[in-house]
Amino acid sequence: MARGGECASQCGCVGCNPRPVNIVIDCDPGHDDAVAILLAHQHADVFGITTVSGNASLENTTRNALSLVELIGVDTPVHSGADRPLLGEPVHAGHVHGQTGLGGVELDEPQRKVASSEASEFLLAVAQEVSDLWVVAIGPLTNVAHAINRDANFASRIAGISMMGGSAGVGNATRVAEFNVWADPEAADVVFGSGANIKMCGLNLTHQLKTDDGLIEQLKDANKPVPDLIAQLFEFMHMRMEELMGERRSALHDPCAVLALTHPGLLTFEQRAVAVELAGTHTRGMTVVDERTTRRRDPPNAEVAYQIDAEGAMSTICAALLNY
Ligand code: BDR
Ligand code: CA
């Protein structure tokens, strides 16, 4: 594990947090979740991974998380959680990530088993045991909302929630809604209303950080199993993005929520009031960010990320991946 300026990867990265960061990753792997998990294990102390239905079914996201920790040889416990949102039916993103959630690779069936199927119980327990714990939430916020609903003190006990979700701008699941919030708006509403210290990395930020074919070449040139697997994941995403967006580049959404903690110097944030639209015909799942310049702006409940040093972030991510 890396501490502050001395990266395990010795990548000479910029913007490192000089203090150790204790985290739990709540995720739905997912290509960019996979990168976030690998990045986090190089630069933070990871106390556990919890899985949620999102990019794929809970069964698939959990299997992917187990395969990933096995692949990189860490003993991080994996706890599975919610197989559906607080309300309604689960929605997935097979058109982006493939039916398994990690389209483009055939991962071996993991030998590792889940530590429990009670993600929210685990979140509550680890928050009691570990001081200054951050929850890095990079899937729909269902597990985190369950934890908050079960224990009103959870939100104030943790250091905060660094989330990839929402947008201060364009959407992806709909014109205005980002997938993780859109997949469970009621859960996101619980989180934004919880009083927790929230860092929000939305699409307005994560669209600034995109892979390209040069990164795939760099990873392949290493001739090592883990970088090679990530290269295959990016190849799949580039194929999907070419179909969907007309460009062979893919936004690294989820790693931004890790970098917000491990390399805060790479990002800029503004204090903002964020509300989740639960009702609108065209706007359900939208994060409504108060960007008025008037003094009558609503009181902030989140730090919203607006800018990332994409070059610095990409070289930090690349070095972390090559270090496996
Ligand atoms: C988010 O949705 C998922 O598809 C990605 O893993 C990311 O967490 C981007 O909208
Ligand atoms: Ca995700």
Side-chain angles (χ1 to χ4, degrees):
M1 311 285 175
R3 302 287 178 148
E6 8 157 337
C7 305
S9 51
Q10 302 199 329
C11 60
C13 56
V14 284
C16 279
N17 191 338
R19 299 181 56 208
V21 188
N22 299 332
I23 67 170
V24 169
I25 306 173
D26 185 60
C27 59
D28 60 339
H31 294 68
D32 54 332
D33 301 74
V35 177
I37 288 169
L38 269 57
L39 173 69
H41 279 87
Q42 293 276 330
H43 288 286
D45 287 345
V46 185
F47 285 85
I49 292 176
T50 51
T51 57
V52 66
S53 164
N55 285 324
S57 67
L58 178 69
E59 192 188 338
N60 279 324
T61 59
T62 304
R63 193 177 51 234
N64 293 341
L66 289 167
S67 295
L68 287 165
V69 292
E70 211 165 270
L71 177 79
I72 60 173
V74 293
D75 57 8
T76 309
V78 175
H79 298 257
S80 63
D83 68 354
R84 57 193 52 250
L86 297 188
L87 288 182
E89 293 303 310
V91 287
H92 305 308
H95 64 295
V96 178
H97 296 269
Q99 287 312 311
T100 65
L102 285 179
V105 296
E106 295 276 334
L107 288 166
D108 293 337
E109 193 60 30
Q111 301 300 305
R112 292 268 303 275
K113 302 284 176 238
V114 289
S116 86
S117 54
E118 295 291 339
S120 59
E121 285 298 323
F122 170 71
L123 289 172
L124 294 177
V126 73
Q128 297 268 16
E129 287 160 19
V130 177
S131 58
D132 292 329
L133 182 76
W134 280 89
V135 178
V136 175
I138 54 178
L141 290 153
T142 323
N143 290 336
V144 185
H146 279 307
I148 293 167
N149 285 340
R150 282 181 187 191
D151 180 353
N153 293 322
F154 176 72
S156 56
R157 190 171 294 130
I158 56 176
I161 299 167
S162 181
M163 60 179 283
M164 189 286 132
S167 180
V170 73
N172 57 4
T174 74
R175 296 175 204 186
V176 294
E178 180 280 330
F179 177 79
N180 288 339
V181 173
W182 175 77
D184 194 344
E186 280 70 25
D189 183 50
V190 168
V191 169
F192 279 105
S194 67
N197 180 16
I198 295 174
K199 291 182 188 289
M200 172 181 139
C201 295
L203 295 176
N204 60 294
L205 179 89
T206 63
H207 282 165
Q208 298 168 32
L209 184 64
K210 288 190 175 177
T211 58
D212 60 20
D213 284 330
L215 175 62
I216 294 180
E217 289 313 314
Q218 262 183 286
L219 294 170
K220 277 186 178 167
D221 285 349
N223 270 319
K224 296 198 286 182
V226 176
D228 202 64
L229 182 123
I230 301 296
Q232 290 172 49
L233 289 174
F234 288 155
E235 269 169 351
F236 178 88
M237 282 308 267
H238 285 190
M239 187 187 72
R240 282 289 161 98
M241 288 303 124
E242 199 162 25
E243 287 161 15
L244 290 167
M245 328 258 293
E247 64 169 8
R248 291 184 57 78
R249 303 185 74 199
S250 165
L252 285 178
H253 305 286
D254 292 341
C256 293
V258 175
L259 291 173
L261 302 177
T262 60
H263 294 73
L266 293 174
L267 294 89
T268 60
F269 292 88
E270 301 289 346
Q271 297 276 351
R272 293 283 184 258
V274 180
V276 179
E277 176 59 65
L278 300 178
T281 308
H282 301 289
T283 52
R284 180 168 156 79
M286 176 183 183
T287 44
V288 182
V289 181
D290 193 347
E291 293 186 317
R292 290 175 292 180
T293 50
T294 157
R295 288 212 179 90
R296 297 184 62 203
R297 210 158 49 190
D298 293 330
N301 59 350
E303 282 180 79
V304 174
Y306 279 91
Q307 290 291 334
I308 186 162
D309 169 355
E311 202 181 315
M314 198 55 84
S315 79
T316 299
I317 291 168
C318 184
L321 297 176
L322 288 172
N323 205 39
Y324 284 101

